[in-house]
Amino acid sequence: MRASVILPTYNEAGNIVDLIGEILRNFPPDVEPEILVVDDNSPDKTSEVANRAFAANRNVRVILRTEDHGFAKSIRAGIEQATGELVVVMDSDFTHDPVEIPRMLHIARVYDIVSASRFCAGGNMQDRKHYLASLAYNWLLRILLHTQVQDNLGGYFVMVRDQILSLPLDRIFYGYGEYFFRLLYFAQRRGLKVIETPAVYRLRAHGASKSNFLKMLVSYSRAAILLRMSRKSPAK
């Protein structure tokens, strides 16, 4: 089996080499890794740093995107170019711990989506303020979208690639982190099997966060309301 890890990057030169090293060290021996660094033309030359460090490693590929930028669009580009039967999507700043990968890949042999959750039993987050704000907002999302998923914004997951490609990609992969609750929404409407596994989200290792809380609150809420309003339309 091959699994493709999608790493969307923007100004992650300080993290990317160590992160890829940790991912490769944590991969189970019976699964062939493919690491796809999908870089949005970072000013700090993240793509060049990754290329230099892993030029001799056939399991690491760097995809440089010079137009149509965006976090969710980068993830889609990685998924479409991946060659693994399974796809692992994770952030590139070390908030998503590579140590979770073996367990998630193992569970993905049975489930369509395995989501590393901060809010199921055993899950947590080192950034306490972020944890409490995300917990409260997830309660709102669960009410709006009628979902039983506890962490609708985590974005650290494993999924069968063919199942992702069967979903309405244009209705999912745009914007920022809200793409994840759209993905879960359409996956559940298709009857895909989703399971959450506990994970501890870490503090960013290097660099500055690109998140703007107020902007995210507005865009995520708008996205959730639009999804709620579309419940009567078919999941194409």
Side-chain angles (χ1 to χ4, degrees):
M1 178 182 291
R2 169 178 281 203
S4 302
V5 182
I6 312 302
L7 299 175
T9 59
Y10 185 77
N11 286 346
E12 296 293 354
N15 293 310
I16 194 62
V17 174
D18 289 343
L19 178 61
I20 293 173
E22 283 294 307
I23 292 170
L24 292 173
R25 280 190 287 274
N26 277 282
F27 242 76
D30 60 337
V31 181
E32 181 184 358
E34 177 183 51
I35 314 294
L36 299 178
V37 179
V38 188
D39 186 64
D40 259 356
N41 204 19
S42 298
D44 73 351
K45 307 299 182 184
T46 299
S47 60
E48 294 180 16
V49 171
N51 267 321
R52 284 197 303 268
F54 298 98
N57 192 325
R58 65 180 182 85
N59 293 320
V60 179
R61 281 200 286 145
V62 178
I63 301 168
L64 179 62
R65 301 179 70 246
T66 58
E67 56 186 21
D68 196 24
H69 294 160
F71 180 72
K73 291 180 179 179
S74 291
I75 293 172
R76 175 177 177 173
I79 292 169
E80 289 178 332
Q81 296 192 46
T83 62
E85 297 96 321
L86 297 175
V87 169
V88 183
V89 176
M90 60 191 299
D91 288 350
S92 302
D93 58 5
F94 271 107
T95 54
H96 295 157
D97 195 335
V99 76
E100 305 291 347
I101 290 175
R103 176 172 55 173
M104 295 171 70
L105 288 175
H106 179 71
I107 298 172
R109 297 174 186 267
V110 180
Y111 288 86
D112 299 308
I113 304 177
V114 181
S115 177
S117 172
R118 298 164 287 180
F119 306 129
C120 65
N124 212 324
M125 195 172 188
Q126 291 180 348
D127 184 338
R128 196 63 184 170
K129 289 183 180 179
H130 192 169
Y131 175 86
L132 293 173
S134 294
L135 177 62
Y137 195 73
N138 266 278
W139 286 338
L140 175 62
L141 287 176
R142 293 179 68 183
I143 293 170
L144 276 174
L145 302 179
H146 297 172
T147 173
Q148 296 304 308
V149 176
Q150 297 185 67
D151 193 346
N152 292 274
L153 291 170
Y156 186 11
F157 68 98
V158 178
M159 189 170 179
V160 177
R161 180 173 177 270
D162 286 346
Q163 295 285 19
I164 300 179
L165 296 178
S166 73
L167 297 176
L169 303 184
D170 290 340
R171 300 177 68 182
I172 296 171
F173 289 100
Y174 60 92
Y176 197 64
E178 72 271 29
Y179 88 88
F180 187 57
F181 65 72
R182 287 193 290 258
L183 173 69
L184 293 173
Y185 174 82
F186 286 107
Q188 290 181 306
R189 291 188 74 183
R190 287 284 179 87
L192 301 186
K193 296 184 293 183
V194 181
I195 189 170
E196 294 182 273
T197 182
V200 176
Y201 283 29
R202 297 160 51 179
L203 295 173
R204 162 180 279 276
H206 299 282
S209 172
K210 273 74 79 176
S211 300
N212 181 306
F213 178 76
L214 183 59
K215 183 177 179 180
M216 288 168 57
L217 180 64
V218 172
S219 63
Y220 289 15
S221 298
R222 180 177 181 273
I225 292 169
L226 288 174
L227 268 187
R228 174 65 182 269
M229 293 171 62
S230 70
R231 287 179 64 87
K232 294 181 180 181
S233 64
K236 296 181 180 179

